[in-house]
Amino acid sequence: LQAGGVHQAFIGHEGRIAVFVATSLLPEVIDAIDTYADDLVDEGHRVVVVWVTNPRATDLREFCRDLYDEPASLTGTVFVGALPWVVMESEPSSGSDWPSDLYFMDLGIRAPDGGWIETWQDTDSNGKFDARVRSAPEIWMSRIKCDNLLPEITLSEAQVINAYFARNHAARTSTTSELFGNTQRGLVYEYDGSKSIPWLYDMASMLNAAEEV
C-alpha cells in the first residue's frame, strides 16, 4: 500500500477518513480525489488518501486497523475503483453466497493486550467466510465502483468516477435549492421490499422487484 499523504496537518473534529484509490485510475482522477479530500477537510475531517496496487482484502482491512489504532483513529473509509471485496456464505460450502463490505467495517474484537481478535472465519478454507462473531462495526465504509458497468456505457471508468465526484462536490458546496429546487429526490434499490427509505426524501422512486433490479 502506498500512502498518498494526509490533507492538512490537523485532526478535524468530525473524525478521520481514509480514501483508498486504485492506482489503475492514475492519473485521470487525481484532481477529483484532491477536491473530494479538500471538501472533507473543509467539513472538519482529517483525510488520508492511499493509492493501492493489487491489494488483498486482508491488506486493506489491516491498514484500517492500523489507522484506527493511531491517536487520530479512524471514522470511516471510502474505496474508489476496482478494489477487492470478500464473499460470505450462509454455511460452509452451501453455494449461497454474497459479497460483504461489513468485513471492512467490523475490524474485530479487542484482545486484553490491545490487539485484535479475528471475528471472521472460513471454516472449510474455500475462500468464503461462513462464520462471524457478531460485533458492532468500528467504522463506516463506502464503495465507489463502476468498472462492471463497462462496456455498456460509453464513458471510461475514470470518466464515470470524475463525473460522480463533480456531482459530489456540487452537492457539498451548493445549496439544496440550487441543485434540486425545493424537492429532495432519491433513487432507492431495496432487495427485500421493506420500503424503509422513502421517508428520507420528498420524492423517491422505488425499485424492489426481482425483474427490475
Side-chain angles (χ1 to χ4, degrees), residues 114-193:
W116 293 95
I117 297 175
E118 185 54 71
T119 54
W120 291 69
Q121 299 176 8
D122 176 11
T123 60
D124 57 359
S125 301
N126 68 345
K128 303 175 183 179
F129 291 108
D130 49 56
R132 169 180 169 258
V133 177
R134 293 186 178 273
S135 60
E138 283 74 24
I139 64 174
W140 55 261
M141 184 266 189
S142 180
R143 185 184 292 271
I144 302 168
K145 179 181 183 296
C146 63
D147 61 296
N148 56 326
L149 299 179
L150 311 176
E152 283 73 15
I153 60 176
T154 57
L155 299 177
S156 69
E157 180 184 8
Q159 287 174 323
V160 174
I161 289 174
N162 282 334
Y164 166 79
F165 278 116
R167 295 193 302 274
N168 187 288
H169 176 68
R172 293 177 184 275
T173 58
S174 304
T175 64
T176 301
S177 59
E178 287 176 327
L179 289 173
F180 307 116
N182 294 318
T183 301
Q184 292 279 356
R185 296 182 297 178
L187 177 63
V188 180
Y189 293 86
E190 287 197 315
Y191 71 92
D192 60 0

Side-chain angles (χ1 to χ4, degrees), residues 186-204:
L187 177 63
V188 180
Y189 293 86
E190 287 197 315
Y191 71 92
D192 60 0
S194 61
K195 298 181 173 61
S196 60
I197 302 297
W199 58 268
L200 288 173
Y201 304 100
D202 299 319
M203 293 176 58

